[in-house]
Each structure stands twice: as structure tokens, then as C-alpha cells.
């Protein structure tokens, strides 16, 4: 993050469901007790890495979860209530609007909250590439969804996340960013297999703390643990 106080750089908007509902597809791998903790750990590692990126000025997290909000605010994120309460894309559009109420000339990017292996330098490379276009996006590792959508100052974000959002964002006129060595920005985690892939890249400290507990649970149940 810029330390010189200059009004330059990207404002990121990170959406996060209430933890009780987050990452439901990870129930089999993590168990119901650990799943919300894992969702929070993903968000903490994502936001920590984003705030450490030199191209990022600030991060706004759109969430109604009080526990997550408190933890993420402690990292330095600004927490915004999900006032629309109409799903992911409405939350992102609202968050982008709140950012621009405070900084009208902000370049805004929507970033998934489930990127536990995120590297600040890789995020910076993607944001630098995105700066050449009015709107740009990065596809996820499966090349179906989207992990990052960027909009230049004065340009509407127009998010279309969920399901095959790569195709929707491309059809909306956003430029698709294709860069080598940006796997950590593309590796979102929805399933146990996704988590294994993220662990292979190397996850942040919050997610790493959850993994031994997942392994203990799955060992007791005779299930293959992520990273095993």
C-alpha cells in the first residue's frame, strides 16, 4: 500500500457473506464447525495481501458479519455494510459507490475474498496491466469465473460475478487480462481440491493455522485431508 499519503492507486472492494453461509461447498473437506473459520481465514489472508500491495491504496470489505468485520477492520480495511442485501453483484456495486463517495477519482477493483495464497507482487502486476483499459478482468484458475474486475476512474464497475462470469465480463466489453505467473490471484477456493491447489502455492498464515485442525478431523473420519 502507498505510504506517502498520495491520492493514487487502486481501491479494492472485497465482498464477504456472513460466515455462517460462506463457503458451503467446503463442508465436506473442512466440516461444518471449521468451515466458517476457514472462510474468515481466507478473507483475512486475502485482505492482508491486498493491503501489502504497493498499487493498492485502500480496501473496502462489504459484509454484514460482525466477527469478520471486526477482524478485517483490525487489519486496516474499511468495513461497509451490505445495504442492498441483494446478492454479490449488488454488494460490489454498492461498495464501489461508497468508495467513490469518499474519493471520486478512484480506480476501483472488485476482488474475491477467497484467495488465501494471494501474493502482493502478483496482484500488483495484474492491476498495472488493468490500468491500460477502462474495464478489465482476470479469470479464475478454472477459466470459468472471475477473481478480479477493474474499472478506471469515472468508469462504472458493472460486476457480473457468479457462475460463468468470465464470459459475461468479456461480453460486457471488459478486457481479459492474460499474464503468466499470476496463479495466486486466480486461485480462488470453493472446494477441497481448490484448497489443495492453494496449499501447494503456499497460503497465508491465517489459513495455514486452520489446516492442522482440518487434517485432524479428516484423519479421525478416514477422509482425505486437503494437502494430504
Amino acid at each position: 500500500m502507498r505510504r506517502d499519503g498520495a491520492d493514487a492507486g487502486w481501491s479494492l472492494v472485497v465482498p464477504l457473506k456472513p460466515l455462517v453461509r460462506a463457503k458451503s461447498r467446503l463442508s465436506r473437506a473442512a466440516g461444518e464447525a471449521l468451515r466458517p473459520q476457514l472462510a474468515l481465514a481466507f478473507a483475512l489472508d486475502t485482505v492482508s495481501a491486498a493491503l501489502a500491495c504497493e498499487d493498492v491504496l485502500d480496501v473496502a470489505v462489504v459484509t454484514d458479519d460482525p466477527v469478520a468485520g471486526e477482524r478485517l477492520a483490525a487489519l486496516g480495511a474499511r468495513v461497509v455494510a451490505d445495504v442492498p442485501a441483494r446478492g454479490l453483484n449488488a454488494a460490489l456495486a454498492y461498495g464501489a459507490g461508497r468508495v467513490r463517495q469518499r474519493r471520486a477519482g478512484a480506480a476501483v477493483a472488485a476482488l474475491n475474498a477467497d484467495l488465501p495464497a494471494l501474493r502482493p507482487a502478483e496482484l500488483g502486476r495484474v492491476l498495472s496491466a488493468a490500468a491500460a483499459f477502462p474495464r478489465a478482468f482476470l479469470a479464475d484458475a478454472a477459466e470459468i469465473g472471475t477473481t478480479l474486475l477493474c474499472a478506471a476512474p469515472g468508469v462504472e464497475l458493472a460486476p457480473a460475478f457468479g457462475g460463468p462470469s468470465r464470459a459475461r465480463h468479456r461480453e460486457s466489453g471488459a478486457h481479459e487480462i492474460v499474464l503468466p505467473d499470476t496463479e495466486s490471484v486466480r486461485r480462488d477456493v470453493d472446494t477441497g481440491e481448490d484448497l489443495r491447489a492453494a496449499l501447494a502455492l503456499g497460503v497465508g498464515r491465517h489459513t495455514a493455522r486452520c489446516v492442522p485442525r482440518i487434517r485432524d478431523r479428516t484423519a479421525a473420519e478416514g477422509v482425505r485431508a486437503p494437502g494430504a
Side-chain angles (χ1 to χ4, degrees), residues 6-188:
D7 186 20
W10 292 85
S11 289
L12 301 192
V13 180
V14 178
L16 181 63
K17 289 180 182 178
L19 297 177
V20 70
R21 295 192 285 109
K23 297 289 122 188
S24 59
R25 293 168 62 191
L26 276 173
S27 291
R28 184 173 182 275
E32 274 301 296
L34 288 174
R35 176 186 53 76
Q37 299 174 44
L38 198 58
L40 176 58
F42 292 169
L44 290 168
D45 285 332
T46 299
V47 171
S48 294
L51 287 168
C53 176
E54 292 185 355
D55 294 274
V56 174
L57 181 65
D58 49 32
V59 175
V61 178
V62 183
T63 187
D64 283 334
D65 191 287
V67 173
E70 182 178 356
R71 295 286 304 278
L72 291 160
L75 294 178
R78 178 185 174 214
V79 177
V80 176
D82 183 6
V83 172
R86 296 195 309 271
L88 174 59
N89 292 307
L92 286 170
Y94 178 75
R98 289 294 301 273
V99 165
R100 285 176 169 165
Q101 284 178 0
R102 291 165 60 99
R103 192 163 68 96
V108 176
L111 180 71
N112 286 9
D114 57 353
L115 299 167
L118 185 63
R119 302 287 187 271
E122 292 186 15
L123 175 60
R125 291 181 60 231
V126 176
L127 291 172
S128 293
F133 304 94
R135 290 173 66 244
F137 73 96
L138 186 72
D140 63 12
E143 299 189 343
I144 296 171
T146 304
T147 58
L148 182 74
L149 174 68
C150 304
V155 178
E156 184 181 356
L157 185 62
F161 285 82
S165 61
R166 178 191 184 191
R168 287 197 298 273
H169 285 133
R170 186 192 293 137
E171 290 164 3
S172 75
H175 174 82
E176 182 170 3
I177 301 165
V178 180
L179 285 175
D181 302 320
T182 56
E183 185 64 17
S184 77
V185 197
R186 302 181 64 202
R187 178 49 66 187
D188 57 341

